[in-house]
């Protein structure tokens, strides 16, 4: 049995999961998310871990393994680090055991991965140096529209006549969006239009890695119901028979959860190794 | 504007092409062998001589582009692991192959019995056939055509190509055809090639008149069709170019400008030399941006990719292998960059152009790498306005109509302003 | 005149010093090393050559120093180079032009552009326009690998180079001189082969960046000085206190022309990958085996190129052998996986990838692919990819 | 007076310039073009006419007896009063929109609290405005959105802290309702506004006031006849002008720069959303040009985004960067990634000034690449567009240009933001002259 923490340091938020893992069961004891909002990242990390441990009723020294992911390799007191796609895949599998692929849409990057039933990443695709269509992009747009992030999804879902918008710069979007408003296009239609164009890119990534079966949305934007609806529609359009999209209320924690589980795995391995060497000497 | 009338030559070309596709469709039943090969440095005479049927993957890609299919094809190729960055002709071809290899007539094209890699002027050709080789698992024969790095064809270069033709290419073709090359026939074919070449040059040079009776780019791409593809060295081609010659002579006599999709162009406002291939996916739209402003292309380098004849080269029946070697090495894409600059400079002067324009296509490094230097040099040497636009051959994602129109408008206004001053 | 007068770059005998001097050579975009070398004798000449392969022996035998031009990496700001290239052309030629128009290549008396791709080919023409006062030659390496035709043509091409360089140095390339040069470069081949063997055996003794810097040094140093440097390095590294880490072993393919920045190599190592084989600075070991040191030296070079050179994307693959080679090589160096990397917009490398990928798939060798540019400064995505790749192998092993 | 109007419909700002029959610039107007292009063009044009009338007014006042020595100060006060009036007009419309918005379902829960907060905020803005136009504070910008926005946010933050509605909610109210306000125009005439402004000028005797009001009336009634207008800029196709009265922004910029500095051979314009590099000949005719794509990296908005990230005003960015000591190379191209890199570097302990200077250098290097593509830099080199107001950008530009192209004259004009409009107005004048000659 192992008690482990997974810390996912993103560019928008820090996520922490504390897990209790024994041979047959993985239990999530606590999770915590804190947005960074222009603060010192290490401070936010400390704060979040403390909060998660408090919720789990644990002390830090009770942790067997602290696994980081994302940008967490800057944390000096980690036990080990796993890379984002490794952890998101495992996290996805934990949250939705039948999932075979995940799309992680975070503040700056989007990545799609396909994995096998053991969580092993088989193929992946990432967007690179342009923030168009990222979480930050959507956040900017919601700011120009004067709505809060949580309103985005529901509003988008109420769209009747989505506006067509193709590749928009995340920064210059301001002009485009204000322009649309001036042309009398309603907020839901703008949002859904943007969701559609984001979905097109996501569908492209997914197609590139040849997904089949259930895809779980992970990352911050998994909470955006408008986006997930748009992606689901795009997948259907693309003749995506045999493909279905899932979300989970803890999707945003997938990376942290995955890290914690792999931490336990490595912990077990290391312990065995130690035993083995002890046996020899 | 008068309404467009179908010219006889145009019909003739259509017939020739559909007859060729019909032959391809029947190739298997007729027991004819099929050879895939490229446009620059193509050995059409040899293939015809042996009764082999050529398929030109570049032409397939181009035609798929005009029929609006390449978006999907490219997508399929990228899905199969090809990068977004590479030549879209290759990807369009791979995509087409993976979609059943259906040609422009709606029938599947026959598989190649041999890939004839006459590698002139573009490294991508090598990769292209490496890829096809893995799809078809048929033999490839390689003709390495050396580059005119120093701006001329030397004797060892000529010998190298002729040797390869004699010792490797011809034996491979003969083996496939099951018969020997008929050299008397070959000489006859080369004579016919030269005849058609004479008329082609006359037609292209008719643009020196004012107003020009032709558009040497948008019209030009149709004029080069037969001679760049499967018809060089045939009576069909000779007759086509005679017909075309007559028609253009008529336009000249009538003082008419070039034909456009919307009829004869009424006023020749700008005479332009163009470097670089056109865009095929929005060919009409692209063309309209020119004739809509009264711009006529009087000379272009693209119409020289399958053979450069206006500097005097003609196929010479008396030295068949050497003349084929010279032809291969003389195509526009095999010229050194300084030589390309010289040629364009000459066009600008000889055709009394108001300016020159480069359409830089993302796909083609052979054309595009160095075009900005060409632009600067030409501006310096001719004092005329240079314009630069960017698009792609067959990737619809890289044709931004608004952007190109904006640039072209600014460019024509620039030419106008400059002319008003001088 | 002898090229051997350059004192060995080794002083203190410390590993750090040696790596430091290799680093200085790498950073020497002004070609100070070449200027210094030339300053010793006003008759000396130096010839620049572009990536992948040129027969350095021929230049050397004509009494000139062959100097590799590998672009400016991430060390120069491109200000004027962009005026020559559109955004969809790889980065290398723009930094080469930047080096040229800013006068940094002034120490070179001539340039050889081997046939690699259309970009380099056209770049040779651009040099002819921009540097009309210098000797600029396009070396058309045969793509026909037959002694009778390709071989004959290549002999001619080499003769053109020999004549061109001789005209600058006043030294004729005799068979004797050429054999001497082959001998010197053979020594270098042996040293590099040993270094490669050491790396396969104990990758922690030869970090990727150091290996890379050593290779790069061969493009600025006379061959004997470089051979010495490699030998010294191996001796020092073997006795160093370096330990193995929990890393996977990877092989890299696709970086034969535009070079990845050092930061990228570091990123790969930090993400948990040991590089046990790669194709960086490929021209330094394009013909890995020593060539015959007697008989017709020209034929030795011809056969070396036609029959013994490594497969790479810029070379036409007659019999579709590249796949088999990649798989075999990966097994030989005991690579856990392969990184198929390529410079953005590099047609040869990128068009090769699907072929290699398919072969690796078939052979069950894990691989991943990504693009870079010589001035890439952001390694986040690359780190993620390489890290995930390493994670997968560490957690599950290679099938 | 015959007026020839040039309108430059930029992506960020819309500029209008009026020249008289001699080509002299008599009026300038500028507004935000973030919303409706037609309205923006109309507003800029009106402002330019207003400006032209103020120009006439200034001259008239100088000659008018009874106002005497204090003429200049009086004119200043009058201008401020005029602006203040306009500001209050817009503010009233903003308040109106907000109030109507508060009736929507969105606010069923906290309508009263929001209404109350709005009142407090509006009062605060009005006070701030009085200080600004009374000469007691520096204006952050010329635009209502920026001015009112900054003030609104400050007061909203205060209200939220004091237990009012959440800050995000209050800001959302502003963001939503500012857009329609920008699309509406002032309904009062020039004369009405001017008279109202006169009432705001405190320091005048009744006699002076009397004398002045005569002049004001005369100027307000003066006949400014728009003979022709030429439109240019990013949004030019949206202008309701005939085709021959629309010119490419490249040509207008080239000509404008030539008019400002006749020796100009190379022009660099870094605007809010696009960057242009232009080569012109000795007559101001464009010989070659390059423009960038719709990507914020490399144009003014890049710096604007960074300023927003840092929570400082755009005008503070340049001075901050000038304090740099070390050169830093920014690795990210994308604006958003650069913002993240900025935070990473700060966290890694690098100095703010150094990073900000690196960001300035990055944008200049991107411009250099564009310049290179258009044919390099030739002497004289004129730098136009909004980023020309940023001293650190200018410094970086001068350094890089010097290092790579040798010693150069670099022109920067205070009027440089109007360059395109000046070119357009001159085209309007020339077109009218030619048209007249032809008839
Ligand atoms: N309900 C929501 N609707 C839309 N976007 C959301 C929502 N909740 C969070 N986000 C966005 O998710 C992003 C953060 O996601 P996360 O996966 O934590 O990114 P990272 O790992 O890069 O920090 C932010 O950009 C945030 O704006
Ligand atoms: N005072 C200032 N200090 C620094 N930068 C400024 C200032 N004023 C404007 N700018 C910059 O100028 C840009 C707007 O330039 P402008 O030429 O008006 O753009 P456009 O023509 O595209 O509308 C802004 O994005 C901003 O970066
Ligand atoms: S690179 Fe150019 S010449 Fe080569 S295949 Fe592509 S389009 Fe044709
Ligand atoms: S990086 Fe690739 S495309 Fe660029 S010059 Fe080298 S081989 Fe050619
Ligand atoms: S378009 Fe916008 S989001 Fe994309 S790279 Fe440019 S600045 Fe970044």
């Amino acid at each position: 049995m192992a008690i482990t923490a997974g810390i996912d340091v993103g560019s928008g938020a820090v996520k922490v999961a504390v897990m209790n893992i024994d041979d047959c069961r993985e239990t999530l004891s606590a999770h915590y998310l804190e947005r960074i909002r222009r603060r010192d990242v290490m401070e936010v990390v400390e704060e979040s871990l403390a909060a998660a441990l408090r919720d789990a009723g644990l002390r830090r020294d009770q942790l067997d393994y602290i696994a980081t992911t994302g940008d967490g390799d800057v944390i000096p007191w980690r036990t080990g680090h796993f890379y984002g796609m490794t952890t998101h895949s495992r996290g996805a599998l934990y949250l939705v055991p039948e999932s075979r692929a995940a799309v992680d849409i975070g503040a700056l990057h989007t990545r799609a991965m396909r994995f096998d039933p053991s969580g092993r990443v088989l193929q992946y695709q990432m967007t690179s140096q342009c923030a168009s269509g990222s979480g930050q992009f959507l956040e900017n747009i919601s700011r120009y529209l004067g709505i809060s992030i949580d309103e985005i999804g529901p509003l988008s879902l109420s769209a009747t006549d989505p506006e067509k918008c193709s590749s928009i710069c995340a920064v210059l979007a301001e002009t485009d969006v204000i322009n649309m408003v001036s042309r009398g296009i309603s907020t839901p239609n703008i949002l859904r239009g943007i969701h559609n164009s984001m979905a097109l890119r996501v569908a492209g990534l997914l197609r590139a890695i040849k997904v089949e079966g259930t895809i779980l949305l992970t990352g911050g934007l998994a909470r955006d119901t408008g986006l997930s609806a748009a992606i689901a529609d795009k997948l259907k359009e693309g003749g995506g028979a045999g493909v279905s999209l899932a979300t989970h209320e803890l999707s945003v924690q997938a990376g942290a959860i995955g890290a914690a589980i792999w931490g336990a795995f490595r912990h077990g391995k290391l312990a065995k190794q130690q035993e083995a060497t002890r046996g020899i000497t | 504007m008068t309404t467009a009338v179908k010219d006889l030559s145009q019909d003739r070309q259509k017939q020739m092409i559909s007859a060729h596709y019909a032959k391809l469709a029947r190739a298997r039943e007729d027991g004819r062998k099929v050879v895939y090969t490229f446009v620059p440095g193509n050995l059409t005479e040899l293939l015809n001589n042996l009764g082999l049927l050529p398929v030109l993957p570049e032409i397939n890609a181009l035609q798929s582009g005009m029929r609006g299919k390449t978006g999907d094809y490219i997508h399929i190729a990228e899905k199969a692991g090809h990068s977004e960055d590479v030549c879209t002709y290759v990807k369009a071809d791979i995509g087409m192959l993976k979609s059943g290899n259906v040609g422009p007539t709606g029938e599947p094209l026959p598989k190649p019995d041999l890939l004839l890699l006459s590698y002139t002027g573009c490294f991508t050709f090598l990769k292209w056939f490496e890829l096809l080789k893995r799809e078809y698992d048929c033999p490839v024969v390689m003709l390495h055509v050396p580059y005119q790095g120093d701006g001329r064809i030397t004797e060892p270069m000529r010998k190298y190509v002729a040797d390869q033709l004699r010792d490797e290419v011809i034996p491979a073709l003969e083996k496939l055809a099951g018969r020997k090359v008929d050299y008397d026939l070959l000489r006859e074919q080369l004579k016919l090639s030269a005849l058609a070449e004479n008329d082609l040059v006359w037609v292209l040079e008719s643009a020196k008149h004012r107003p020009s009776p032709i558009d040497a780019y948008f019209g030009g791409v149709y004029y080069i069709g037969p001679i760049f593809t499967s018809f060089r060295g045939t009576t069909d081609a000779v007759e086509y170019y005679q017909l075309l010659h007559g028609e253009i002579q008529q336009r000249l006599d009538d003082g008419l400008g070039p034909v456009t999709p919307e009829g004869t162009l009424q006023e020749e406002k700008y005479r332009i030399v163009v470097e670089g291939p056109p865009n095929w996916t929005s060919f009409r739209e692209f063309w309209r941006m020119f004739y809509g402003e009264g711009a006529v292309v009087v000379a272009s380098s693209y119409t020289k990719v399958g053979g450069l004849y206006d500097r005097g080269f003609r196929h010479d029946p008396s030295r068949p292998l050497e003349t084929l070697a010279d032809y291969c090495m003389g195509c526009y894409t095999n010229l050194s960059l300084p030589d390309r600059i010289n040629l364009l400079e000459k066009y600008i002067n000889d055709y009394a152009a108001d300016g020159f324009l480069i359409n830089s296509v993302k796909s083609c490094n052979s054309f595009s790498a160095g075009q900005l230097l060409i632009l600067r040099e030409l501006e310096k040497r001719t004092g005329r306005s240079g314009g630069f636009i960017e698009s792609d051959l067959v990737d619809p994602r890289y044709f931004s109509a608004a952007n190109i129109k904006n640039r072209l408008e600014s460019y024509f206004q620039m030419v106008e302003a400059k002319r008003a001053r001088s | 005149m002898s090229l051997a007068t350059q004192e060995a770059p080794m002083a203190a005998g410390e590993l750090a010093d040696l790596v430091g001097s290799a680093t200085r050579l790498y950073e020497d975009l002004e070609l100070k090393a070449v200027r210094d070398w030339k300053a010793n004798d006003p008759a000396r000449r130096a010839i620049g050559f572009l990536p992948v392969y040129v027969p350095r022996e021929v230049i050397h035998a004509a009494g000139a120093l062959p100097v590799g031009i590998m672009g400016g990496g991430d060390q120069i700001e491109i200000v004027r180079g962009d005026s020559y290239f559109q955004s969809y052309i790889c980065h290398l030629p723009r930094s080469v032009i930047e080096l040229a128009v800013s006068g940094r290549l002034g120490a070179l008396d001539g340039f050889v552009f081997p046939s690699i791709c259309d970009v380099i080919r056209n770049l040779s023409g651009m040099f002819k326009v921009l540097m009309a006062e210098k000797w600029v030659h396009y070396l058309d390496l045969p793509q026909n690998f037959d002694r009778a035709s390709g071989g004959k043509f290549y002999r001619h091409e080499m003769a053109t180079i020999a004549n061109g360089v001789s005209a600058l140095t006043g030294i004729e390339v005799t068979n004797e001189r050429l054999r001497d040069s082959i001998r010197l470069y053979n020594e270098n081949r042996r040293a590099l082969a040993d270094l490669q063997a050491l790396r396969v055996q104990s990758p922690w003794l030869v970090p990727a960046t150091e290996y890379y810097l050593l290779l790069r040094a061969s493009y600025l140093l006379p061959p004997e000085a470089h051979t010495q440097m490699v030998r010294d390095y191996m001796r020092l590294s073997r006795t160093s206190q370096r330990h193995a880490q929990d890393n996977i072993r990877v092989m890299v393919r696709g970086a034969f022309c535009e070079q990845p920045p050092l930061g990228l190599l570091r990123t790969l190592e930090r993400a948990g990958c040991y590089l046990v084989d790669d194709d960086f600075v490929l021209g330094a070991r394009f013909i890995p085996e020593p060539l015959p040191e007697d008989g017709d030296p020209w034929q030795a070079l011809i056969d070396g190129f036609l029959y013994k050179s490594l497969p790479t994307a810029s070379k036409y693959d007659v019999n579709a052998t590249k796949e088999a080679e990649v798989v075999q090589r990966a097994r030989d160096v005991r690579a856990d996986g392969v990184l198929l990397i390529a410079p953005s917009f590099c047609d040869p490398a990128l068009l090769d990838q699907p072929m290699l990928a398919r072969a690796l798939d078939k052979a069950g060798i894990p691989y991943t692919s990504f693009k870079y540019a010589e001035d890439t400064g952001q390694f986040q995505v690359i780190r993620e990819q390489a890290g995930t790749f390493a994670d997968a192998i560490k957690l599950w092993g290679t099938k | 007076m015959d007026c020839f109007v040039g309108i430059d419909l930029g992506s960020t700002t819309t500029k209008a310039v009026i020249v008289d029959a001699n080509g002299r610039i008599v009026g300038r107007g500028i507004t935000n073009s973030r919303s409706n292009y037609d309205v923006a063009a109309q507003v800029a044009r009106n402002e330019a006419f207003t400006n032209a009338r103020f120009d006439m007014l200034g001259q008239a006042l100088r000659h008018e007896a009874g106002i005497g020595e204090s003429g200049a100060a009086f004119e200043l006060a009058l201008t401020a009063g005029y602006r203040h009036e306009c500001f209050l007009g817009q503010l009233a419309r903003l308040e109106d929109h907000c109030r109507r918005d508060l009736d929507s379902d969105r606010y069923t829960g906290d309508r009263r609290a929001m209404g109350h907060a709005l009142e407090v905020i509006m009062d605060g803005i009005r006070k701030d405005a009085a200080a600004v136009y009374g000469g007691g504070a520096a204006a952050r910008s010329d635009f209502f959105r920026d001015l009112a926005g900054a003030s609104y946010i400050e007061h909203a933050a205060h209200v939220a802290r004091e237990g009012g509605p959440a800050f995000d909610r209050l800001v959302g109210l502003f963001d939503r309702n500012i857009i329609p306000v920008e699309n509406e125009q002032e309904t009062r005439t020039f004369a009405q506004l001017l008279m109202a402004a006169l009432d705001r000028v405190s320091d005048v005797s009744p006699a002076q006031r009397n004398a002045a009001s005569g002049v004001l009336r005369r100027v307000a009634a003066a006949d400014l006849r728009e003979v022709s207008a030429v439109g240019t800029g990013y949004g030019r196709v949206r202008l309701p002008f005939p085709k021959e009265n629309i010119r490419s922004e490249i040509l207008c910029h080239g000509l404008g720069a030539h008019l400002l500095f006749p020796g100009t051979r190379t022009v660099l314009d870094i605007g809010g959303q696009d960057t242009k590099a232009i080569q012109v000949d000795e007559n101001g005719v464009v010989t070659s040009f390059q423009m960038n794509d719709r990507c914020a990296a490399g144009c003014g908005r890049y710096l604007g985004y960074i300023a927003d990230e840092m929570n400082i005003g755009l005008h503070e960015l340049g001075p901050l960067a000038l304090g740099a000591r070390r050169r830093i190379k920014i690795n990210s191209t994308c604006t958003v990634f650069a913002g993240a890199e900025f935070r990473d570097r700060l966290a890694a302990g690098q100095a703010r000034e150094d990073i900000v200077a690196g960001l300035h250098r990055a944008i200049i290097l991107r411009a250099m690449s564009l310049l290179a593509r258009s044919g390099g830099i030739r002497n004289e080199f004129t730098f136009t567009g909004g980023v020309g107001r940023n001293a650190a950008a200018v410094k970086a530009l001068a350094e890089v240009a010097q290092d790579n192209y040798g010693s150069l004259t670099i022109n920067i004009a205070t009027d440089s933001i109007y360059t395109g409009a000046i070119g357009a107005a001159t085209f309007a004048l020339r077109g009218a002259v030619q048209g007249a000659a032809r008839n």
Side-chain angles (χ1 to χ4, degrees), chain B residues 289-309:
Chain B
M289 292 180 196
F290 283 73
Y291 68 74
E293 299 278 337
V296 178
V297 182
V298 288
S300 71
S301 53
Y302 180 67
T303 51
K304 316 292 153 49
V305 288
L308 183 63
Y309 302 106

Side-chain angles (χ1 to χ4, degrees), chain A residues 38 108-109 128-131 136 140 143 145-147 151 169-172 174-176 178-179 181-182, chain D residues 11 34-37 106 145 172 175-176 179 183 238 273 294-296 301 305 308-309 334-337 340:
Chain A
R38 297 175 189 162
L108 294 180
H109 294 284
S128 54
Q129 319 290 4
C130 174
Q136 186 63 52
N140 290 353
R143 197 162 66 223
L145 286 171
I147 55 176
E151 287 176 277
C169 171
V171 178
L172 302 184
E174 183 183 14
T175 325
D176 296 294
I178 292 176
N179 233 300
V181 175
S182 302
Chain D
S11 50
R34 285 203 263 203
S35 38
N36 189 316
Y37 285 138
R106 201 191 278 272
R145 178 193 270 268
D175 283 338
R176 225 178 1 266
I179 301 174
N183 286 341
R238 308 257 187 98
Q273 304 202 1
R294 291 257 312 139
C295 167
R301 192 60 197 112
Y305 187 87
D308 291 349
E309 281 283 288
C334 176
T335 313
V336 178
F337 283 72

Side-chain angles (χ1 to χ4, degrees), chain D residues 225-287:
Chain D
R225 204 167 58 85
E226 178 174 316
V227 179
S228 72
V230 161
T232 187
Y234 171 81
R236 64 182 184 276
V237 283
R238 308 257 187 98
L239 285 172
F241 287 8
K243 189 170 179 262
E244 57 275 19
N245 284 8
I246 305 259
R247 284 300 155 94
S248 107
E249 70 239 65
I250 302 289
L251 292 183
C252 291
H253 252 89
L255 180 61
H258 169 78
L259 292 167
L260 291 170
F261 301 100
T264 299
R265 287 294 173 280
T266 301
V267 187
L268 172 66
D269 175 76
I270 308 188
Q273 304 202 1
D274 58 17
T275 300
K276 325 182 233 290
I278 307 172
Q279 309 287 344
V280 294
D281 68 9
E282 64 282 6
N283 300 308
V285 174
V286 174
T287 57

Side-chain angles (χ1 to χ4, degrees), chain C residues 6-256:
Chain C
Q6 174 87 4
E7 53 287 297
M10 270 287 312
E14 280 298 322
L15 189 56
D17 286 350
L18 189 147
V19 173
S21 62
T23 309
R24 275 190 297 284
L25 287 172
Y26 167 79
E27 289 167 351
D28 183 13
L29 295 179
E30 313 275 337
L31 299 181
K32 198 173 159 308
V34 179
R35 277 175 232 270
D36 291 349
W37 177 79
K38 284 175 76 174
N40 284 333
D41 178 352
R44 284 184 171 179
R45 296 288 178 268
I47 304 293
F49 65 91
L50 276 284
V52 193
Y53 178 71
V54 299
R56 288 187 285 172
E57 292 87 343
V58 176
I59 298 172
H60 185 267
L65 179 70
V67 176
I69 300 173
M70 304 299 275
D74 56 358
Q75 302 178 65
I76 51 171
E77 286 173 345
I78 303 297
V79 175
R80 277 175 294 173
D82 278 340
S83 66
Y84 298 90
F85 294 100
Q86 302 87 318
S87 52
Y88 44 76
I89 286 174
C90 61
H91 203 271
L92 172 103
R94 63 192 86 224
S95 73
V96 170
I97 285 270
E98 186 80 37
L99 290 171
V101 296
S102 63
R104 288 179 175 98
L105 301 181
L108 303 175
D109 303 286
F111 300 92
V112 178
F113 291 78
S115 51
I116 303 170
C117 70
D118 298 321
V119 174
I120 295 289
R121 187 195 71 187
N122 290 4
L123 187 62
S124 74
M126 296 169 74
F127 263 59
K128 286 194 177 209
V129 174
L130 292 169
M131 306 214 133
E133 73 291 352
K134 298 249 168 126
W135 178 70
V136 176
H137 182 68
Y138 178 72
L139 163 62
D140 211 339
L141 294 164
Q143 298 283 11
N144 176 315
F145 299 89
D146 189 275
R147 255 192 192 190
S149 47
K152 206 190 285 174
F153 175 70
Y154 188 37
R155 187 179 282 267
H156 228 278
E157 283 292 296
M158 282 195 290
T160 315
I161 293 189
N163 293 337
V165 182
S166 291
L168 294 169
T169 57
I171 296 171
E172 201 195 326
V173 182
T174 60
N175 284 357
E176 206 38 58
R177 287 190 66 91
L178 192 54
R179 274 193 287 265
D180 282 343
S181 299
I182 289 178
R183 223 167 275 133
L184 279 177
Y185 279 97
N186 277 349
E187 273 311 308
N188 195 249
R189 289 190 170 97
R190 290 188 192 100
L192 287 175
D194 291 346
L195 179 64
Q196 169 64 21
L198 174 63
R199 177 192 198 203
V200 170
Q201 193 191 33
S202 326
W204 55 94
L205 291 182
V206 190
T209 45
E210 294 182 6
Y211 180 74
Y212 180 76
L213 289 169
L214 281 176
L215 284 182
R216 282 293 293 265
S218 83
Y219 274 17
L220 269 176
L221 293 177
E224 58 281 15
H226 183 250
T227 304
Q228 191 58 47
M229 189 184 219
V230 174
R231 297 270 175 226
D232 288 340
Y233 175 84
M234 280 190 282
R235 181 172 44 78
L236 292 167
S237 175
R238 277 206 185 92
T239 54
S240 68
Q241 300 297 310
R242 290 172 160 167
H243 294 296
Q245 280 179 315
D246 182 17
N247 280 4
I248 64 161
R249 300 163 64 94
V250 301
M251 173 168 121
V252 170
R253 278 293 177 276
F256 51 89

Side-chain angles (χ1 to χ4, degrees), chain B residues 80-87 90 98 117 119 121-124 126-128 130-131 133-135 140 142 144-147 149-150 156-157 159-160 163-164 168 333-335 337-338 340-341 360-363 365-373 376-377 388 390-391, chain C residues 82-89 115-119 121-122 124-126 128-130 136-138 140-144 146 148-150 152-153 156-157 160 312-323 343-348 350-355 358 371:
Chain B
H82 283 276
S83 164
E84 200 183 311
D85 293 356
V86 303
C87 172
V90 181
K98 295 205 184 285
L117 174 48
Y119 138 63
C122 160
F123 277 78
T124 301
L126 302 175
K127 297 284 125 187
W128 195 337
E130 281 181 10
L131 287 160
K133 156 102 188 160
R134 282 151 178 84
E135 295 290 340
V140 192
M142 162 71 163
H144 177 201
V145 177
Y147 179 61
D150 290 328
M157 286 162 72
K159 193 156 172 348
Y160 176 38
D163 283 356
Q164 292 179 79
E168 292 176 34
T333 43
N334 209 47
L335 300 188
L337 198 101
R340 278 168 68 189
I341 299 176
S360 183
V361 291
K362 174 178 176 284
S363 270
N365 287 346
S366 176
F367 258 106
S368 303
Q371 274 175 331
L372 287 158
L373 180 68
R376 293 285 101 75
E377 280 293 309
F388 201 87
E390 301 182 5
S391 65
Chain C
D82 278 340
S83 66
Y84 298 90
F85 294 100
Q86 302 87 318
S87 52
Y88 44 76
I89 286 174
S115 51
I116 303 170
C117 70
D118 298 321
V119 174
R121 187 195 71 187
N122 290 4
S124 74
M126 296 169 74
K128 286 194 177 209
V129 174
L130 292 169
V136 176
H137 182 68
Y138 178 72
D140 211 339
L141 294 164
Q143 298 283 11
N144 176 315
D146 189 275
S149 47
K152 206 190 285 174
F153 175 70
H156 228 278
E157 283 292 296
T160 315
T312 188
S314 66
K315 206 171 100 177
Y316 175 60
D317 185 10
V318 209
N319 300 313
T321 50
K322 65 176 87 173
E323 289 99 330
S344 296
F345 303 107
C346 175
D347 273 39
L350 290 166
L351 284 165
D352 245 24
Q353 275 190 358
M355 298 183 238
R358 195 143 64 156
K371 293 188 286 188

